[in-house]
Amino acid sequence: MSIINAPVWERSADWQTQFRGASPFKYAVMEDFFSDEFCQRLVDEFPPFDERLALNENGEVGQKCTHQDLPALGGVWAEVDQFIKSPEFLSWLSKTTGINDLLYDPHYFGGGTHENRHGQDLDVHVDFNRHPITGWHRRLNLIVYLNDEWDNEWGGAIEFHKDPRQPEQNEVKLVKPALNRAAIFETTYWSWHGFERI
């Protein structure tokens, strides 16, 4: 279907099996998520690092910039926004995860583009479950990596944890940030995730 690679689009049943059987919580990892051409456009039109959007909790410029208003970015990002809210994509995502009646978040609260630079990490945490504006139940995260090169020694791999508060029983799975690799994972009070320092 359109901007997603056909082999990815056509394998909903396979992804659902992977998603439901994953541990330490439900997730699926997909290679070559977007078509090559569309992915390259996303890389080429990735928004510049904006210090006004990179303020940390102390009001200082940090190493993470997030653009939450995809339609305002225009170009290929407006296309992504149109696609994400389409009934076709939401239906595919429901088939892929087994979660019915998924909704599009027009606020991209906690979403949008994320650029993390050298020295940035993300402590292992669980995400909010209730949308602060709509009150909807947040069900999924979808991450697609757009860095056009990566060395595993640079860190930055997302970590999925069983329970970081119980190290002796913790289970950790890593997803490396390779170009056009997608990770879809459930949002629950036990979906612990973060990434190691870049």
Side-chain angles (χ1 to χ4, degrees):
M1 166 66 180
S2 61
I3 69 175
I4 294 181
N5 257 331
V8 171
W9 187 260
E10 295 162 0
R11 292 181 56 199
S12 290
D14 293 340
W15 303 131
Q16 188 176 131
T17 298
Q18 184 187 134
F19 185 84
R20 289 185 167 182
S23 179
F25 50 80
K26 294 177 182 176
Y27 74 92
V29 178
M30 306 170 188
E31 306 297 334
D32 302 316
F33 185 75
F34 291 119
S35 70
D36 291 345
E37 179 185 353
F38 195 82
C39 181
Q40 190 59 54
R41 288 180 62 206
L42 290 168
V43 172
D44 293 342
E45 296 182 36
F46 198 86
F49 194 93
D50 185 337
E51 292 187 350
R52 296 169 299 171
L53 302 175
L55 300 180
N56 62 26
E57 57 274 7
N58 299 319
E60 302 164 340
V61 176
Q63 297 301 311
K64 176 181 179 177
C65 174
T66 303
H67 292 263
Q68 289 183 289
D69 191 348
L70 292 191
L73 292 174
V76 71
W77 295 100
E79 291 179 46
V80 168
D81 175 69
Q82 288 296 314
F83 181 71
I84 287 172
K85 65 185 173 187
S86 71
E88 294 81 10
F89 177 72
L90 292 171
S91 174
W92 176 83
L93 200 54
S94 286
K95 289 177 189 172
T96 296
T97 61
I99 301 172
N100 294 326
D101 304 319
L102 289 169
L103 302 171
Y104 157 81
D105 175 16
H107 306 282
Y108 288 93
F109 197 89
T113 69
H114 289 235
E115 179 179 357
N116 296 283
R117 291 180 164 184
H118 177 73
Q120 181 67 37
D121 60 10
L122 182 62
D123 290 338
V124 177
H125 66 288
V126 293
D127 290 330
F128 64 90
N129 292 118
R130 289 288 169 192
H131 196 291
I133 299 171
T134 64
W136 295 342
H137 183 194
R138 182 176 179 179
R139 301 300 309 273
L140 291 171
N141 285 321
L142 167 61
I143 297 171
V144 183
Y145 292 105
L146 296 175
N147 38 284
D148 54 8
E149 63 175 328
W150 198 261
D151 186 318
N152 290 338
E153 294 182 2
W154 297 347
I158 193 167
E159 302 174 350
F160 297 149
H161 288 251
K162 182 174 183 180
D163 188 346
R165 298 171 298 183
Q166 299 184 41
E168 67 284 352
Q169 298 175 9
N170 196 20
E171 173 188 346
V172 182
K173 298 288 179 62
L174 300 178
V175 178
K176 304 289 186 182
L179 177 65
N180 208 9
R181 176 176 289 159
I184 298 175
F185 61 97
E186 67 179 348
T187 303
T188 66
Y189 62 83
W190 61 85
S191 54
W192 293 95
H193 63 284
F195 61 82
E196 55 197 4
R197 186 173 299 277
I198 298 171

